[in-house]
């Protein structure tokens, strides 16, 4: 199974950039890296995904290592509303490859 | 545009009962997936339906079943409820069957409590 490893929790100050790491050393060549976040009392929210190149959208940036064994979600300027659990996953088309794990709980300090 | 909607938002049942949870996907989305999320854990995959057929099943007992209707809405059924079935049940929709390159859009879930 292509699993991911993330820190249990991280803290950041408001209005500063946040770098959330994810390790996926057993990633296969066709696995996309997806990031979701879950705010309290809500369902997960799609953030970004990518295969090889770095990706940017209005919410965040995804930096993917050259060997693809790790990636970093970058929130350019954290706000209090970014406090959430962030999940890095490698969703596959095999039923046993949809593994969310516990994610990283991000705390934002005002 | 309306997002994924789930009903009911909360439900209380007793052991041995049966429950039906409902999900309406985003308009135009043909794939619906169901997840169970126990407190403190990430979502766990239960089923994927695409074009009204089951396309994926996670490691859940046969007490769990689902179906998808011609309008792509979906129901999750759980029979013979156990205390351990208490969880947040999430529905997610996406445009296509492929999971690798398709973002999923989640509803806010149904909170099921078993007494």
């Amino acid at each position: 199974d292509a699993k991911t490893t993330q820190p249990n929790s991280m803290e950041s100050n408001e209005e500063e950039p946040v770098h959330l790491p994810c390790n996926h050393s057993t990633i296969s060549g066709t696995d996309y890296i997806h990031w979701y976040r879950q705010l309290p009392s809500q369902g997960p929210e799609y953030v970004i995904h990518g295969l090889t190149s770095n990706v940017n959208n209005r919410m965040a940036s995804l930096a993917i290592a050259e060997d693809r064994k790790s990636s970093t979600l970058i929130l350019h300027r954290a706000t209090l509303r970014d406090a959430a659990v962030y999940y890095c996953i490698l969703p596959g088309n095999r039923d046993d490859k949809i593994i969310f794990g516990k994610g990283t709980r991000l705390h934002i300090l005002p | 545009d309306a997002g994924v909607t789930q009903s009911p938002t909360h439900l209380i049942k007793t052991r041995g009962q049966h429950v039906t949870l409902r999900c309406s996907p985003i308009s135009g989305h043909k794939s619906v997936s169901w997840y169970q999320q126990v407190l403190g854990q990430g979502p766990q995959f239960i089923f994927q339906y695409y074009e009204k057929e089951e396309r994926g099943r996670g490691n859940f007992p046969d007490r769990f079943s689902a179906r998808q209707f011609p309008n792509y809405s979906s129901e999750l059924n759980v029979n013979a409820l156990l205390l351990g079935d208490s969880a947040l049940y999430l529905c997610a929709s996406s445009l296509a069957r492929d999971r690798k390159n398709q973002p999923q859009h989640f509803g806010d879930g149904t909170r099921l409590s078993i007494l």
Side-chain angles (χ1 to χ4, degrees), chain A:
Chain A
D1 289 355
K3 293 181 67 173
T4 61
T5 304
Q6 301 178 251
N8 290 332
S9 67
M10 292 182 61
E11 269 186 5
S12 182
N13 294 319
E14 195 177 10
E15 298 186 4
E16 290 186 357
V18 181
H19 291 234
L20 294 159
C22 181
N23 287 320
H24 28 77
S25 58
T26 60
I27 191 170
S28 76
T30 59
D31 281 336
Y32 282 76
I33 302 155
H34 289 233
W35 282 83
Y36 290 82
R37 71 179 185 181
Q38 189 170 21
L39 280 65
S41 302
Q42 295 186 22
E45 175 187 25
Y46 167 77
V47 178
I48 199 166
H49 77 290
L51 182 62
T52 56
S53 321
N54 294 344
V55 185
N56 300 292
N57 66 21
R58 63 174 181 81
M59 289 182 69
S61 295
L62 175 59
I64 301 172
E66 197 168 334
D67 63 5
R68 299 203 338 117
K69 293 186 176 182
S70 66
S71 61
T72 302
L73 180 70
I74 302 166
L75 306 179
H76 294 286
R77 192 166 167 269
T79 70
L80 295 176
R81 288 174 292 180
D82 292 322
V85 177
Y86 286 78
Y87 296 100
C88 166
I89 67 169
L90 311 177
N93 288 320
R94 273 175 47 185
D95 295 341
D96 59 356
K97 292 192 71 175
I98 309 172
I99 303 171
F100 269 80
K102 292 189 177 182
T104 296
R105 183 171 295 278
L106 177 64
H107 301 271
I108 304 296
L109 306 176

Side-chain angles (χ1 to χ4, degrees), chain A residues 30 34 36 38 49 93, chain B residues 37 57 98-101 104:
Chain A
T30 59
H34 289 233
Y36 290 82
Q38 189 170 21
H49 77 290
N93 288 320
Chain B
Q37 187 173 26
R57 173 185 281 260
D98 172 47
R99 294 175 198 152
K100 290 197 171 191
N101 192 19
Q104 293 191 81

Side-chain angles (χ1 to χ4, degrees), chain B residues 21-41:
Chain B
L21 310 181
R22 295 176 176 83
C23 172
S24 292
I26 290 172
S27 176
H29 285 195
K30 298 182 178 180
S31 174
V32 169
S33 296
W34 288 95
Y35 293 81
Q36 181 194 67
Q37 187 173 26
V38 174
L39 201 60
Q41 304 290 323

Side-chain angles (χ1 to χ4, degrees), chain B residues 62-100:
Chain B
D62 291 343
R63 299 185 296 108
F64 289 77
S65 64
R67 55 180 176 167
Q68 187 177 32
F69 298 99
N71 66 354
Y72 303 109
S73 67
S74 177
E75 283 182 353
L76 175 70
N77 297 285
V78 187
N79 292 325
L81 287 166
L82 303 173
L83 292 177
D85 295 331
S86 294
L88 179 68
Y89 288 85
L90 295 160
C91 173
S93 75
S94 60
L95 277 168
R97 176 183 176 181
D98 172 47
R99 294 175 198 152
K100 290 197 171 191

